[in-house]
Amino acid sequence: MRSYIIAGNWKMYTTPVEAATLASAILEQHERLQPPHSVKTIICPPYTSLYAAREVIAGTRICLGAQNCHYENKGAFTGEVAPMMLKASGCSYVILGHSERRQYCGETNALVNKKIHGALRDGLIPIYCVGETLIERQNNQTLDIIRVQLVDGLKDVSLHSAEQLVIAYEPVWAIGTGLAATPSQAQEVHSAIRAILSEVWKEYGARVRILYGGSLKPENAEEIFTMPDVDGGLIGGASLQAESFGAILAVACHLAVQ
Ligand code: PEP
């Protein structure tokens, strides 16, 4: 049986009331689909909506994630949120290194590496995002860029910690553009990610879970999820509607039991 992770990145959308409504609608889809245990569903609301979403999904198999964190576990870092605060707020996952944070907040591989260590220290599972820009792809630099993001971003992460980690391949040119990678483009990079990770963590490279993200929708989920090295999706826009998120989840449920 194949296992899949279907994670929704709600970005900077939803007030607490809207988050509760969306989480309830997603929970309805989840209950209707009854995903097998090999399919995991994660929702990642903004910080201020974590509590509201958590109230709705408490006691269900839907997991909660955040979209960022600081690397320290407390301190004079005005405006920041510590990994242990997220853990105490019900999060099991945290998205780190998303291209929007790299692009708009100047996050570097070195900073994201510190955040990954901080998250692991406090018991959160990082969903580490990597991906190339359009110019980098056009210049045939995709795999070089991904290699640097993996090697620098995961510096000094132990094999034991790596067992937990989730990688998300998100080509920057595919995020929010409606232009998803083709299944073969995704497969090529996912299998390269496994090969690069195998250099560091040996056989674990074969087991690491790698999600595809970038304009995933119900119409393209099946062709991408059937690729051998794709273990699910990180979904932005389509996760803000329970129907489209549920339809993508349904594809994973169907493929998992085939
Ligand atoms: C994302 O924000 O991680 C993402 C993949 O967005 P979208 O699905 O909207 O392209």
Side-chain angles (χ1 to χ4, degrees):
M1 186 184 270
R2 280 194 70 169
S3 64
Y4 287 99
I5 295 174
I6 303 298
N9 172 14
W10 293 6
K11 310 195 189 213
M12 199 172 71
Y13 294 102
T14 71
T15 62
V17 169
E18 290 164 349
T21 306
L22 178 55
S24 302
I26 287 174
L27 180 57
E28 253 175 56
Q29 298 282 337
H30 196 266
E31 284 180 346
R32 176 179 66 80
L33 292 165
Q34 294 286 320
H37 279 268
S38 64
V39 177
K40 192 180 286 292
T41 307
I42 306 169
I43 56 173
C44 303
Y47 291 143
T48 46
S49 290
L50 286 171
Y51 183 80
R54 179 198 187 178
E55 290 282 280
V56 173
I57 60 170
T60 75
R61 284 179 40 233
I62 301 180
C63 300
L64 195 62
Q67 301 171 20
N68 179 35
C69 67
H70 196 266
Y71 51 86
E72 294 288 356
N73 74 349
K74 61 177 147 185
F77 298 103
T78 303
E80 293 289 346
V81 175
M84 68 89 172
M85 295 170 183
L86 297 174
K87 183 77 183 170
S89 302
C91 291
S92 331
Y93 291 85
V94 60
I95 299 170
L96 290 173
H98 192 281
S99 67
E100 286 156 10
R101 295 207 58 84
R102 293 178 188 265
Q103 190 181 346
Y104 303 128
C105 307
E107 292 200 6
T108 60
N109 292 327
L111 176 65
V112 179
N113 176 253
K114 287 166 100 171
K115 293 183 178 209
I116 289 174
H117 283 284
L120 290 168
R121 176 198 62 225
D122 291 346
L124 288 175
I125 301 176
I127 301 175
Y128 177 40
C129 302
V130 296
E132 81 288 0
T133 62
L134 184 57
I135 300 281
E136 288 161 348
R137 175 162 281 269
Q138 285 166 343
N139 290 340
N140 283 325
Q141 292 173 309
T142 299
L143 299 185
D144 296 336
I145 293 293
I146 302 282
R147 172 179 286 278
V148 172
Q149 289 172 335
L150 290 173
V151 171
D152 292 357
L154 299 177
K155 189 162 175 273
D156 296 331
V157 172
S158 67
L159 174 61
H160 172 72
S161 301
E163 293 280 344
Q164 304 283 320
L165 220 108
V166 179
I167 306 287
Y169 168 53
E170 299 211 309
V172 180
W173 48 270
I175 296 180
T177 59
L179 182 73
T182 63
S184 62
Q185 284 172 326
Q187 172 56 28
E188 184 196 11
V189 178
H190 282 230
S191 96
I193 290 173
R194 280 195 206 289
I196 294 165
L197 295 181
S198 300
E199 293 168 15
V200 185
W201 294 319
K202 310 288 177 263
E203 73 291 343
Y204 183 63
R207 294 205 304 275
V208 67
R209 287 151 310 157
I210 309 173
L211 313 184
Y212 168 79
S215 298
L216 259 176
K217 34 189 184 274
E219 297 74 30
N220 60 18
E222 178 152 4
E223 57 180 15
I224 292 178
F225 289 171
T226 44
M227 292 292 112
D229 289 306
V230 176
D231 302 312
L234 179 56
I235 301 134
S239 73
L240 293 166
Q241 302 291 331
E243 293 70 25
S244 46
F245 190 67
I248 294 172
L249 182 60
V251 170
C253 294
H254 167 70
L255 293 174
V257 296
Q258 267 190 346

